[in-house]
Amino acid sequence: MPSDQNVYQPSPQTSKDSHVSSFEQYQELYKESIENPQGFWGKISKQFHWETPPNDPNNIVTYNFDISQGPIFIKWLDGASTNICFNLLDKNVKNGNADTIAFHWEGNHPEDYSRLTYKKLLEEVCRFSNVLKSHGVRKGDRISIYMPMVLELPIAILACCRIGAVHSIVFAGFSSDSLAERMHDCQAKILVTADGAWRGEKPLHLKTICDEAMDKASAMGHNVEKCIVVSHLNRVTPGSEDLVNTLPPTPWTDGRDFWWHDEMEDAEKTCYPEWMGAEDPLFMLYTSGSTGKPKGVLHTTGGYLLYASTTFKLVFDYKPGDVYWCTADIGWITGHTYGVYGPLANGATSVMFEGTPFFPDNDRFWQVIDKYEVNQFYTAPTAIRALMKFGDEPVLRHSLKSLRVLGSVGEPINPEAWLWYYKIVGKNQCSIVDTFWQTETGGHVITPLPGATPMKPGSASFPFFGVKPTLLDENGTEIVGEGEGYLVFSQPWPGMMRTLFNNHPRFESTYFSKFNGYYCTGDGARRDADGYLWITGRVDDMLNVSGHLMSTAEVESVLTEHDSVAEAAVVSRPHPVKGECLYCFITPNENKEFDRKLIGELKKLVRERIGPFAQPDIIQHAPGLPKTRSGKIMRRVLRKIAINDRNVGDTSTLADEGIVEILFANRPDDA
């Protein structure tokens, strides 16, 4: 048992009914998954339909992580064939879930809502599969998708799966340049989009962005053949009829552009699935690269199905009849694995949300939880901290009694936000699963299990089944016991990426060249005396001040403990004596002053909690932080502000580009 006093046990009721109900059971299953991955995953694979079974049921996985031994490769269930759409939809309908709700759709406005049963979802997917085929889409073709959070989005995804096309979703907040670059790189045959989306009372004209992107892709040398458009803006929000009537006409190119509803009208509602090899591509998702050029992370069929399904079931402790809500946009990996694939593989009922946490009021999340009686709620620390700024009252005016599991994703959660989530949202009764994973890993790799893991605020805790983490120092020497270093993995799990699209050399150099024989996450981690893992953030977000190595996440966690601080971001800045010093950006809570008194208190807090060497040199007022539309802080921009370099590069992916100029203007005189 953990020696740390600050440990929170799962509630007895949660443990009693859980799939994994004790830490001892977790340890037994984990040991089996590491020592006998063939048998462990072989048993799980029997839950799914395989049109052709694996070549050798005793050889479920083959791989090479050692560049010196030849090309890097990972293969799961080699020789088997299946169809993910068949496993997610047909299988559930045949098993008696035809009338089970697959998705409750909650629109931008509380009075906008809809739902889809598994039977209706299967019919709609088959119809759109036939639409794609009628436009010449075949197995292996790439389809770009740029859509808001509407029900047509999972329909489009699953239609691609059904006919063997490879979907490449681009978050519908990226600029036309970003969309064009991704469509060009994957050589997209068709683009699926919507006329627009609502953000509060503001319409976003997505089709205009798509037209610009298709023009730019064409200038790069790739023509997108067709564009299929969902009519969404005129789905009238109560009270917004006048606003809808003022919307400009959707830009249109005859012969290239087609309305979704027109195409679906006469489409057949049955479509035979294309049987895919277990290692055939399923989807690609672009993630930012250190060189600036996005990387097309490629996931395949069989292993991803196993891993998405198993992690969803066990990490959220999902049981039939539960209602689950992942707030992530499907344009990100979280929305892929835990918004679509994982839940549907388990016959789950999910909430799909188009709106924002703050419209029409800042209690929208809590209102939606009560409306649908949500049992598992999965969101990002950024959202939690933003909602904390409004205090406890907006949460406490709602019951939230249905909640059982609370999830955190996207970045390490600071202990203060964890405790607020646990005590105020979860009423001291819900297990918190602080999940660490990446686009590249396909699913959770380090995470608590709700009924089994004693929780430490801020710790991702222990590896999921089949995942073998190692900590290495700069020289590649393993750190045994307590310590901090590079987080790497020495063997594959079924959901991990297989390559980068059309660029296997970059895949090998990015993930396998730093430490031979290991997949390198690019993140640092610390292991405490009880074996708990704490993610310390990207390795390039490490600071070396006077020979002391620390992570920006560690300093940010301390700063946000102050009751006047809503959010903090820390970067390094060159220092003539220390090598590097800390430059901190602070967003105060509402109605809290940013003044010399607060600066002094924060410096003292860091000095006391980490050490005198960690005291920040500069603390700057930041009314907001430069964030992407997914809520990720763009530290590259903050580093430029810290050194007063206005050559900040591309800021088109920021949610608010204007914040950059405000932060430059706010630089303190002594900076």
Side-chain angles (χ1 to χ4, degrees), residues 637-657:
V637 173
L638 293 178
R639 290 190 195 100
K640 293 286 191 179
I641 294 165
I643 60 174
N644 204 20
D645 178 0
R646 289 183 174 268
N647 183 22
V648 296
D650 179 21
T651 58
S652 64
T653 60
L654 292 180
D656 176 15
E657 290 184 59

Side-chain angles (χ1 to χ4, degrees), residues 5 72 119 180 200 352 384 426 442 464 467 505 528 535 604 654 670:
Q5 296 293 305
I72 301 297
K119 182 182 179 202
M352 184 177 173
I384 296 165
F464 190 73
V467 176
D528 69 16
I535 306 302
K604 182 170 180 281
L654 292 180
D670 58 348

Side-chain angles (χ1 to χ4, degrees), residues 8-12 14-15 369 374-377 399-407 418-419 421-433 449-451 453 455:
Y8 294 79
Q9 299 293 336
S11 76
T14 298
S15 290
I369 288 170
V374 170
N375 305 109
Q376 295 93 352
F377 177 62
S399 160
L400 309 185
K401 65 182 179 183
S402 59
L403 287 172
R404 195 171 77 243
V405 178
L406 298 173
W418 193 102
L419 289 166
Y421 202 24
Y422 180 78
K423 292 176 180 178
I424 305 302
V425 180
K427 321 290 188 200
N428 298 297
Q429 292 298 308
C430 296
S431 289
I432 292 184
V433 287
L449 297 180
T453 312
M455 298 164 282

Side-chain angles (χ1 to χ4, degrees), residues 238-249:
S240 68
E241 292 86 347
D242 292 343
L243 183 58
V244 169
N245 291 334
T246 66
L247 292 173

Side-chain angles (χ1 to χ4, degrees), residues 257-425:
D257 298 342
F258 301 85
W259 285 114
W260 174 290
H261 55 272
D262 289 342
E263 296 298 297
M264 292 283 274
E265 196 170 343
D266 298 320
E268 286 287 328
K269 60 182 183 182
T270 59
C271 178
Y272 190 75
E274 181 80 37
W275 300 113
M276 306 293 288
E279 283 299 323
D280 280 347
L282 173 65
F283 69 82
M284 47 194 298
L285 186 57
Y286 285 89
T287 186
S288 55
S290 56
T291 64
K293 180 173 169 54
K295 307 187 295 278
V297 170
L298 191 72
H299 284 283
T300 56
T301 300
Y304 179 81
L305 169 63
L306 256 63
Y307 205 69
S309 175
T310 308
T311 49
F312 173 80
K313 178 181 177 179
L314 299 184
V315 174
F316 297 109
D317 198 41
Y318 187 87
K319 302 184 190 72
D322 285 350
V323 177
Y324 161 84
W325 181 19
C326 169
T327 68
D329 192 286
I330 292 172
W332 307 109
I333 188 64
T334 302
H336 282 57
T337 305
Y338 301 114
V340 178
Y341 287 104
L344 293 177
N346 285 276
T349 296
S350 297
V351 175
M352 184 177 173
F353 180 57
E354 187 197 3
T356 77
F358 315 111
F359 180 81
D361 296 300
N362 56 32
D363 67 339
R364 183 72 188 280
F365 271 6
W366 323 125
Q367 181 256 328
V368 171
I369 288 170
D370 277 356
K371 178 177 179 178
Y372 297 104
E373 299 185 333
V374 170
N375 305 109
Q376 295 93 352
F377 177 62
Y378 195 31
T379 196
T382 297
I384 296 165
R385 289 192 293 265
L387 291 162
M388 282 172 68
K389 285 201 293 188
F390 300 107
D392 301 348
E393 191 277 329
V395 187
L396 297 177
R397 75 173 82 128
H398 298 275
S399 160
L400 309 185
K401 65 182 179 183
S402 59
L403 287 172
R404 195 171 77 243
V405 178
L406 298 173
S408 168
V409 61
E411 58 183 298
I413 183 170
N414 55 301
E416 190 181 37
W418 193 102
L419 289 166
W420 185 83
Y421 202 24
Y422 180 78
K423 292 176 180 178
I424 305 302
V425 180

Side-chain angles (χ1 to χ4, degrees), residues 542-553:
M542 300 293 280
L543 305 159
N544 194 329
V545 179
S546 302
H548 296 278
L549 197 66
M550 70 186 101
S551 68
T552 56

